[in-house]
């Protein structure tokens, strides 16, 4: 009898671990655009939040969310500490964003839309929020947008300035990358809330949006959603310098289930590399009701990235 009880307990634990590890990793709300950050032996995951109904035919993204994990399997929900309403100048939805730490403060770079007013005709814009904690509360760091653009000639909102990604290089210089249709970058001052120098624009092969920039060993990586096909795939370039030139390396993630977009978030944690993305695999999910997944990421000896294998099982708990 005692043996059966122990066996039953082990089976329950095994089932529970499997359920926690399966993709998608968050099942109670729809989440998109993953942006991981490692801080003090914990992974903080910053996400978008899809609030569209099954009948909606466009995005409804009311806020950004934060989750944390010490093993990449069990995730704690920290709620929604930031939304476009945090920014007095903003309107519209909470699009892709990334949070980085510097000097004990947390800078959350976000893409949303700018109100049409005396300072702007509107359009996509990038703001920055700041907090003393990775889980907030966050506040507008500068009281205005960091990056703005204007309305297009056909009087529709321009989507040029979306999807920020930030790298703080080994010498302390910070860079902001972003952009739809073309990729842009600019230096950030040490305070992380002011830009320095001119905006640089370039066009990686098949680039459409969602850049994720990072450095591994002596190589810089620019990973992005590609316009080579619909639905999107993930492709990447590498460079010896953050300023380029960038060498195209190919496709690393094929189309995802039930979503015409995908979005990369990459992190090293406890000796392993992880690739985060979103798909529409949950029941009632879809292109406007997406969910974040995690799978392992592997490199070749020359630093190139192996193809990502998308799984339903996800990853095992990091030891």
């Amino acid at each position: 009898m005692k043996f059966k009880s122990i066996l039953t307990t082990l089976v329950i634990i095994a089932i529970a671990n499997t359920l926690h590890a399966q993709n998608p990793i968050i099942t109670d709300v729809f989440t998109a655009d993953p942006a991981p950050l490692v801080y003090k032996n914990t992974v903080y995951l910053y996400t978008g939040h899809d609030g569209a109904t099954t009948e909606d035919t466009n995005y409804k993204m009311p806020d950004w969310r934060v989750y944390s994990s010490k093993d990449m399997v069990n995730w704690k929900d920290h709620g929604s500490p930031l939304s476009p309403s945090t920014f007095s100048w903003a309107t519209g939805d909470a699009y892709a964003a990334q949070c980085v730490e510097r000097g004990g403060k947390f800078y959350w770079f976000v893409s949303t839309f700018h109100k049409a007013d005396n300072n702007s005709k509107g359009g996509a814009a990038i703001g920055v929020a700041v907090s003393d904690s990775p889980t907030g509360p966050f506040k507008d760091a500068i009281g205005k947008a960091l990056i703005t653009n204007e309305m297009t000639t056909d009087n529709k909102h321009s989507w040029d300035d979306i999807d920020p990604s930030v790298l703080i290089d080994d010498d302390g210089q910070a860079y902001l990358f972003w952009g739809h249709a073309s990729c842009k970058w600019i230096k950030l001052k040490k305070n992380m809330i002011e830009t320095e120098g001119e905006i640089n624009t370039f066009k990686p092969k098949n680039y459409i949006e969602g850049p994720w920039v990072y450095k591994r060993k002596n190589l810089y990586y620019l990973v992005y959603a590609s316009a080579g096909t619909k639905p999107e795939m993930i492709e990447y370039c590498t460079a010896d310098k953050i300023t380029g030139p960038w060498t195209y390396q190919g496709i690393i993630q094929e189309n995802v289930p039930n979503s015409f977009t995908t979005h990369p978030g990459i992190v090293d944690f406890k000796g392993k590399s992880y690739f985060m993305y979103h798909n529409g695999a949950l029941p009632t999910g879809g292109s406007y009701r997406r969910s974040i997944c995690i799978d392992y990421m592997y490199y070749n000896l020359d630093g190139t990235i192996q193809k990502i294998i998308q799984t339903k099982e996800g990853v095992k708990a990091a030891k």
Side-chain angles (χ1 to χ4, degrees):
M1 199 68 182
K2 184 177 180 181
F3 173 76
K4 288 185 177 179
S5 177
I6 293 173
L7 182 61
T8 301
T9 301
L10 290 174
V11 169
I12 291 172
I13 291 172
I15 292 173
N17 285 338
T18 300
L19 290 176
H20 282 159
Q22 70 184 16
N23 280 327
I25 61 168
I26 298 161
T27 58
D28 59 332
V29 296
F30 291 101
T31 54
D33 303 328
L37 166 69
V38 176
Y39 180 71
K40 291 187 175 180
N41 207 37
T42 300
V43 177
Y44 292 90
L45 176 58
Y46 299 84
T47 81
H49 173 202
D50 282 343
T53 68
T54 54
E55 289 77 29
D56 285 325
T57 57
N58 207 339
Y59 300 105
K60 289 186 177 178
M61 304 183 72
D63 48 38
W64 295 277
R65 301 181 64 88
V66 183
Y67 299 84
S68 67
S69 176
K70 294 184 180 298
D71 63 4
M72 299 298 288
V73 168
N74 299 287
W75 293 91
K76 181 179 180 181
D77 187 351
H78 297 280
S80 302
L82 188 65
S83 73
S85 64
T86 303
F87 305 95
S88 61
W89 50 266
T91 185
D93 292 297
Y95 298 117
Q98 183 183 3
C99 187
V100 297
E101 181 270 337
R102 184 164 200 168
K105 289 187 177 293
F106 298 84
Y107 298 91
W108 201 346
F109 294 83
V110 304
S111 49
T112 184
F113 275 74
H114 202 294
K115 293 177 181 177
D117 55 27
N118 293 332
N119 298 317
S120 172
K121 293 181 180 179
I126 293 172
V128 56
V130 65
S131 175
D132 293 324
S133 165
T135 58
F138 284 86
K139 65 179 181 180
D140 188 348
I142 54 178
K144 61 181 181 179
L146 181 67
I147 302 291
T148 62
N149 59 27
E150 299 300 291
M151 299 283 278
T152 58
T153 54
D154 59 0
N155 206 36
K156 294 182 179 179
H157 285 301
S158 171
W159 282 87
D160 287 352
D161 296 325
I162 61 170
D163 298 354
S165 181
V166 173
L167 168 70
I168 303 174
D169 210 347
D170 297 337
D171 62 0
Q173 178 63 61
Y175 297 84
L176 171 66
F177 282 68
W178 76 97
H180 175 82
S182 61
C183 190
K184 304 177 183 180
W185 67 266
I186 195 169
K187 289 181 178 181
L188 294 173
K189 292 184 179 180
K190 193 172 182 179
N191 62 17
M192 301 297 286
I193 59 174
E194 294 180 274
T195 60
E196 181 178 6
E198 299 296 321
I199 292 174
N200 301 268
T201 302
F202 64 109
K203 176 74 174 182
K205 182 178 179 179
N206 297 332
Y207 178 95
I208 185 63
E209 61 190 5
W212 184 268
V213 60
Y214 68 101
K215 185 178 185 181
R216 179 180 181 269
K217 298 183 178 179
N218 293 317
L219 200 59
Y220 295 90
Y221 292 79
L222 177 63
V223 185
Y224 52 88
S226 66
T229 64
K230 286 291 183 181
E232 293 175 351
M233 297 189 292
I234 298 296
E235 306 186 27
Y236 80 111
C237 299
T238 58
D240 294 326
K241 297 179 180 179
I242 187 65
T243 55
W246 294 90
T247 300
Y248 176 75
Q249 297 290 0
I251 298 167
I252 56 170
Q253 186 196 36
E254 304 287 347
N255 305 143
V256 299
N258 202 30
S259 172
F260 63 77
T261 67
T262 184
H263 189 101
I266 296 165
V267 68
D268 287 347
F269 184 62
K270 295 185 177 180
K272 293 185 181 296
S273 297
Y274 298 88
F275 184 87
M276 298 185 176
Y277 58 99
H278 62 236
N279 63 25
L282 279 185
T284 76
S287 290
Y288 308 115
R289 292 161 65 85
R290 299 160 295 179
S291 298
I292 289 172
C293 301
I294 307 174
D295 279 304
Y296 290 114
M297 186 172 186
Y298 299 101
Y299 295 88
N300 298 310
L301 291 177
D302 63 358
T304 55
I305 302 171
Q306 296 180 19
K307 280 282 189 75
I308 302 299
I309 300 174
Q310 300 178 47
T311 71
K312 294 181 179 179
E313 294 78 19
V315 298
K316 297 179 180 179
K319 304 279 188 182

